[in-house]
Amino acid sequence: MPYYETVFIARQDLSPAQVEDLTKLFTGFITAGEGKILKTESWGLRQLAYRINKNRKGHYVLIESETAPAALIEMERNIRLNEDVLRYMTLRLDEPTKGPSAILGGDRSNDNDTATTEKDAA
């Protein structure tokens, strides 16, 4: 089955518990479609680049899954219908990621390689 990464932004006036409930609701569609949830990360309340429906901030959540496309389509349909979700995006991955996402401070090995190369060149 293919790997997918979905990030959604929930309204700023939701509590962290309500955001967790939304995440459980959306991941339930994946598990009901016989898929697996590989990783979920809550990135917390973050500033938006521009206002969306009069919101300046939003709760960001990442869901990484291995599932059939039918279950993913059902999850996306429910995300679109939910009034608490401002935006979402799903990407297909070639392979699952390892460790935490870059937002949480993971996988900075490329940055270190670049810094080392720049020092060596000087």
Side-chain angles (χ1 to χ4, degrees), residues 28-56:
F29 294 108
I30 300 293
T31 55
E34 299 180 4
K36 291 191 306 186
I37 301 299
L38 303 175
K39 174 174 39 174
T40 59
E41 292 180 357
S42 178
W43 296 343
L45 188 64
R46 301 175 64 91
Q47 186 78 24
L48 299 173
Y50 54 90
R51 282 189 190 187
I52 303 174
N53 297 337
K54 299 182 181 178
N55 290 287
R56 291 180 181 266

Side-chain angles (χ1 to χ4, degrees), residues 72-89:
L72 182 74
I73 289 169
E74 181 63 19
M75 181 185 77
E76 286 183 335
R77 186 182 74 81
N78 282 279
I79 289 174
R80 272 194 308 274
L81 293 173
N82 196 311
E83 294 176 352
D84 293 330
V85 177
L86 301 174
R87 293 283 191 275
Y88 76 96
M89 178 185 274

Side-chain angles (χ1 to χ4, degrees), residues 7-112:
V7 176
F8 69 89
I9 306 171
R11 292 183 306 134
Q12 65 185 0
D13 56 344
L14 297 178
S15 70
Q18 289 172 311
V19 174
E20 184 66 29
D21 290 341
L22 272 179
T23 305
K24 287 179 183 175
L25 173 70
F26 297 147
T27 56
F29 294 108
I30 300 293
T31 55
E34 299 180 4
K36 291 191 306 186
I37 301 299
L38 303 175
K39 174 174 39 174
T40 59
E41 292 180 357
S42 178
W43 296 343
L45 188 64
R46 301 175 64 91
Q47 186 78 24
L48 299 173
Y50 54 90
R51 282 189 190 187
I52 303 174
N53 297 337
K54 299 182 181 178
N55 290 287
R56 291 180 181 266
K57 294 183 178 184
H59 293 275
Y60 284 69
V61 178
L62 167 89
I63 301 170
E64 193 171 306
S65 60
E66 178 183 8
T67 185
L72 182 74
I73 289 169
E74 181 63 19
M75 181 185 77
E76 286 183 335
R77 186 182 74 81
N78 282 279
I79 289 174
R80 272 194 308 274
L81 293 173
N82 196 311
E83 294 176 352
D84 293 330
V85 177
L86 301 174
R87 293 283 191 275
Y88 76 96
M89 178 185 274
T90 300
L91 300 174
R92 184 174 176 172
L93 303 173
D94 293 330
E95 60 184 34
T97 60
K98 296 171 181 67
S101 64
I103 299 293
L104 294 180
D107 193 33
R108 293 189 170 207
S109 60
N110 292 339
D111 293 342
N112 293 337

